[in-house]
Amino acid sequence: MRNDHFPPLLPAPVRRLHPLDWLAGGLLLAGVIAVATGLLPSAAAQDQVRRIGPLLAFLATVIVLAELAGRAQVFDVVAAWVARAGRGRYPLLFGLCVAFASLTTITLNLDTTAVLLTPVMLALAGRVGIAAVPLAMTTVWLANTASLLLPVSNLTNLLAADRVALSPAGLAAVMWLPQLAAIGATALCLWVFYWRRGRRGADTYTPPPLPSPGDRVLLGVCSAACAGFLLAILLVEVPLWSASLVAMVVVVAAYAVRRPGELRLSLIPWRLLVLVPGMFLVVETVDAHGLHQVLVRALGSDEGLAGLLRTAGVGAGLANVLNNLPAYVAGEAVVPADHHRQLLALLIGVNAGPLVTPWGSLATLLWFERCRWQGTRIGVRRFALTGLVLAVAATGAATCALALTG
């Protein structure tokens, strides 16, 4: 029987927390306890904090930038252009979306794709009148599987390129075939699971008119800020966080003049800012207490096809359990210094494989955040099962391609 005389045990804001909020808070608390009790030496904890500081700055600023740009209808305009280029034909629209998502990830960064392209795809679904999930899945899958080619495509690539002493052109020369294989496997799975007739709906669609923005000045400023951010990453050697910070400041200043009421603390992605440091501290603690020895036995040192597949598989599995960034760092410490192909197989696993769990990569976490903001519901069970199929297919195809290039 309901008792109205007793208040709830938890206050309303706490009861409204998402399960990922509880996960984020729990991980950070566990990391702090590990440092406080000495399970994680303070020097190692400080190294991790210094390492993730720029990453947190990038995540916070680029998400605020994306949210404000979306409110200014930047993504509605881009979505309309893509829909009109598809000429009402779903196969052409599918090819354009795959090419667009792949190119964005390769030349910019998978996290940028998750933040900036996801709203474009979701706006496109609304303007074309088709289900949002196929377009959303195109973004998140290619944000991960198309991130093999260049150092800028993924933060793990920067670490790997340093380790194997490869320039951007040198990394591309080795990884072009694995990258094509991963994109091909992704396109096939996207069509079968999400885009084929019966999944998407009708055979054709009506290309929408270009939207009429409510504030052309704000649209222009936000468009210029986003374009400047992308060009800065592509053409100038600047840290990601500094480029996103400048772009965000420009957009926030424009909103302060045009729509000050839109600037609220809720724009800041508090969940991610809590989750990321907690995750790194916990993984560093686990690594210091036995993970390293487990990985030594799991990865081995074979650079034949079987050894490369084994390394990629372990990397993909570990990325889904932990996250691709700490998984790569932990695996890199185990791979022998002169085993460059094995290291690249590990890179394939942690880039193309973390498609099963929401925390497998930061890009996936960012994508879930953007989908939540846009009101798009993603079924976790279907996400995990179809992601498992693609993780096996893309990781296996890319690793076999790597063996061919050797």
Side-chain angles (χ1 to χ4, degrees):
M1 179 180 294
R2 179 180 168 184
N3 191 335
D4 293 325
H5 298 289
F6 295 96
L9 294 177
L10 296 174
V14 175
R15 294 200 307 273
R16 288 197 299 266
L17 288 178
H18 189 277
L20 284 177
D21 294 324
W22 288 101
L23 173 65
L27 283 174
L28 183 59
L29 179 62
V32 170
I33 291 173
V35 176
T37 58
L39 284 173
L40 179 62
S42 59
Q46 290 170 10
D47 286 343
Q48 288 299 314
V49 171
R50 281 193 294 268
R51 189 171 196 178
I52 65 175
L55 177 60
L56 292 176
F58 167 70
L59 292 176
T61 53
V62 80
I63 287 178
V64 173
L65 169 65
E67 178 59 27
L68 292 177
R71 295 184 184 189
Q73 294 184 277
V74 172
F75 304 127
D76 290 315
V77 173
V78 176
W81 287 343
V82 173
R84 289 166 70 87
R87 301 177 182 177
R89 300 197 294 268
Y90 274 105
L92 179 56
L93 180 65
F94 172 71
L96 286 170
C97 290
V98 168
F100 191 20
S102 300
L103 185 63
T104 304
T105 301
I106 289 168
T107 58
L108 300 174
N109 181 274
L110 79 164
D111 299 323
T112 305
T113 296
V115 172
L116 295 183
L117 191 57
T118 300
V120 172
M121 293 295 197
L122 295 178
L124 174 60
R127 296 196 67 79
V128 172
I130 63 174
V133 173
L135 289 157
M137 294 304 299
T138 300
T139 305
V140 70
W141 277 2
L142 286 166
N144 288 281
T145 61
S147 67
L148 296 172
L149 192 65
L150 298 175
V152 73
S153 306
N154 198 322
L155 295 176
T156 55
N157 296 4
L158 293 171
L159 301 175
D162 260 355
R163 168 76 177 266
V164 298
L166 286 175
S167 65
L171 184 63
V174 176
M175 298 297 283
W176 70 269
L177 189 58
Q179 181 62 94
L180 285 178
I183 292 175
T186 305
L188 177 61
C189 287
L190 279 170
W191 186 264
V192 170
F193 291 131
Y194 293 100
W195 275 85
R196 63 184 169 85
R197 192 181 182 197
R199 295 292 186 184
R200 64 171 187 255
D203 288 328
T204 61
Y205 66 90
T206 302
L210 291 175
S212 179
D215 189 329
R216 292 186 179 276
V217 173
L218 204 54
L219 173 65
V221 171
C222 291
S223 299
C226 290
F229 165 59
L230 300 180
L231 287 174
I233 295 173
L234 191 59
L235 302 178
V236 184
E237 290 189 5
V238 296
L240 284 174
W241 69 267
S242 63
S244 59
L245 175 62
V246 171
M248 184 203 72
V249 168
V250 170
V251 169
V252 167
Y255 266 87
V257 174
R258 308 288 294 188
R259 295 187 200 167
E262 299 272 359
L263 299 177
R264 299 174 182 174
L265 287 176
S266 59
L267 290 170
I268 300 173
W270 299 110
R271 178 195 296 167
L272 289 177
L273 298 184
V274 172
L275 175 65
V276 172
M279 179 177 61
F280 270 77
L281 290 174
V282 168
V283 171
E284 185 69 15
T285 303
V286 173
D287 192 49
H289 291 274
L291 177 61
H292 183 87
Q293 297 305 319
V294 171
L295 286 178
V296 168
R297 293 190 294 271
L299 291 177
S301 58
D302 179 16
E303 286 204 293
L305 176 58
L308 296 181
L309 288 170
R310 174 182 176 181
T311 298
V314 171
L318 190 62
N320 279 296
V321 172
L322 303 176
N323 176 267
N324 68 331
L325 282 172
Y328 174 79
V329 172
E332 182 191 63
V334 172
V335 174
D338 58 340
H339 284 209
H340 291 178
R341 286 209 307 164
Q342 187 181 10
L343 188 71
L344 293 176
L346 174 67
L347 186 68
I348 289 172
V350 300
N351 284 10
L355 302 168
V356 183
T357 58
W359 57 85
S361 72
L362 288 176
T364 306
L365 283 171
L366 290 167
W367 174 80
F368 266 107
E369 193 79 10
R370 301 315 304 157
C371 289
R372 184 177 68 85
W373 271 95
Q374 300 288 125
T376 300
R377 183 180 179 278
I378 305 298
V380 175
R381 182 173 181 272
R382 189 179 178 200
F383 173 86
L385 292 176
T386 57
L388 176 61
V389 174
L390 176 58
V392 173
T395 301
T399 306
C400 290
L402 176 67
L404 291 175
T405 61

